[in-house]
Amino acid sequence: MTSDTADYVANVVARRIGVPVDVEFVSAELLRIIPAGIHKHEGFSVEIRTGWRHAEAAFVPGTFARPLIVRMGEAAPESRAAFMALAAEASRHGKLSFRLNGTAADPLNAERWPESWQRFELSLRKNGVVYEEASRIEIQALLQDLIVPIFGMIVCLIGVDDVEADESALEGDAIETLSRRYERKPINREICLSVRGRLCYCCGFDFAAHYGPTAKGFIEVHHKVPVAGMGPDYKVNPVAELFPVCSNCHSVIHLKKPALDPDVLRTQLASRPTVQ
């Protein structure tokens, strides 16, 4: 890995998760990603390592991060559902390892997680990777596949609500600062697409299949609850309220006021006679 790789990683996390980060280029085999403005001993970092035929992204807690881990264990059901959605996505890209209090845990079954957390371990490993022989595009795809799910899962449990914290708060109050810094929209989009995929929910349109590699992953996201009607304290549930839709279906949904329910349009399109 190079310093250019570090810049790319910082851009990916900011764009797709909404988290400003500092990326340390430690060596050709190691990058360390730290949420910007948070003391590394009280927060966390994500380390990306490359080795012989593998690459791995892993959560690394700070020396004094136990309060953060305790808070992660107290995450609301909606946050846990979002974590599980991203965990399912991560499992499609590599081997996901998840341990709580030193014991292996099922990342897809929150009901079996322990009530209180003291230790939290999370990593995603992709085998069969010959990093030195990969092209620039292949390396970028690999890094996105590793970083986005891991960072997203951590952010889900920490909490992505806007926190009205006093700017003069004590330096040691790192948890509130961490929550306040997280932008909600990018991570909500990632959770939505992890749950529902990147085809139009209503008509099944695939931008990549129609327009080629340039449009890979492109899709709009519809808020079932109108954004304009959300109060400052409204909490979006991306698993239940967000839907991937193509531009045409999105426009049709908003032809009515209030907007048409995506499930209604989906049913209408599915019941149309096939045009020969």
Side-chain angles (χ1 to χ4, degrees), residues 53-73:
R53 298 188 66 80
H54 78 273
E56 183 176 49
F59 169 85
V60 179
T63 306
F64 307 111
R66 178 166 289 187
L68 178 67
I69 294 174
V70 170
R71 173 171 174 162
M72 292 166 73

Side-chain angles (χ1 to χ4, degrees), residues 29-98:
E29 294 79 30
L30 174 62
L31 286 180
R32 183 175 294 121
I33 312 165
I34 306 169
I38 304 300
H39 198 288
K40 62 182 179 181
H41 294 316
E42 297 172 333
F44 72 94
S45 63
V46 171
E47 292 187 350
I48 305 174
R49 293 180 180 272
T50 59
W52 189 77
R53 298 188 66 80
H54 78 273
E56 183 176 49
F59 169 85
V60 179
T63 306
F64 307 111
R66 178 166 289 187
L68 178 67
I69 294 174
V70 170
R71 173 171 174 162
M72 292 166 73
E74 297 170 348
E78 295 82 3
S79 299
R80 293 185 172 210
F83 175 96
M84 289 187 288
L86 290 177
E89 177 78 4
S91 298
R92 289 191 281 270
H93 294 298
K95 181 179 180 182
L96 184 65
S97 176
F98 181 46

Side-chain angles (χ1 to χ4, degrees), residues 68-129:
L68 178 67
I69 294 174
V70 170
R71 173 171 174 162
M72 292 166 73
E74 297 170 348
E78 295 82 3
S79 299
R80 293 185 172 210
F83 175 96
M84 289 187 288
L86 290 177
E89 177 78 4
S91 298
R92 289 191 281 270
H93 294 298
K95 181 179 180 182
L96 184 65
S97 176
F98 181 46
R99 297 175 66 86
L100 294 172
N101 301 338
T103 302
D106 184 353
L108 303 181
N109 189 354
E111 293 182 357
R112 304 192 66 177
W113 297 350
E115 291 186 6
S116 60
W117 297 4
Q118 300 300 316
R119 292 175 59 190
F120 174 88
E121 301 168 70
L122 181 68
S123 66
L124 178 60
R125 180 183 176 111
K126 196 162 187 175
N127 293 317
V129 175

Side-chain angles (χ1 to χ4, degrees), residues 200-276:
C200 178
Y201 178 79
C202 298
C203 72
F205 185 80
D206 182 345
F207 278 90
H210 192 81
Y211 293 105
T214 301
K216 181 179 180 181
F218 177 79
I219 195 76
E220 296 181 13
V221 171
H222 171 70
H223 290 246
K224 192 171 183 179
V225 178
V227 178
M230 297 178 183
D233 298 325
Y234 188 85
K235 298 179 181 180
V236 173
N237 181 343
V239 175
E241 298 177 16
L242 303 185
F243 296 82
V245 291
C246 71
S247 308
N248 285 348
C249 287
H250 207 178
S251 296
V252 172
I253 285 172
H254 285 286
L255 286 176
K256 289 192 173 183
K257 294 187 181 298
L260 192 64
D261 189 300
D263 283 303
V264 172
L265 181 57
R266 178 186 174 103
T267 300
Q268 290 177 353
L269 294 176
S271 62
R272 289 184 314 172
T274 303
V275 178
Q276 299 295 335

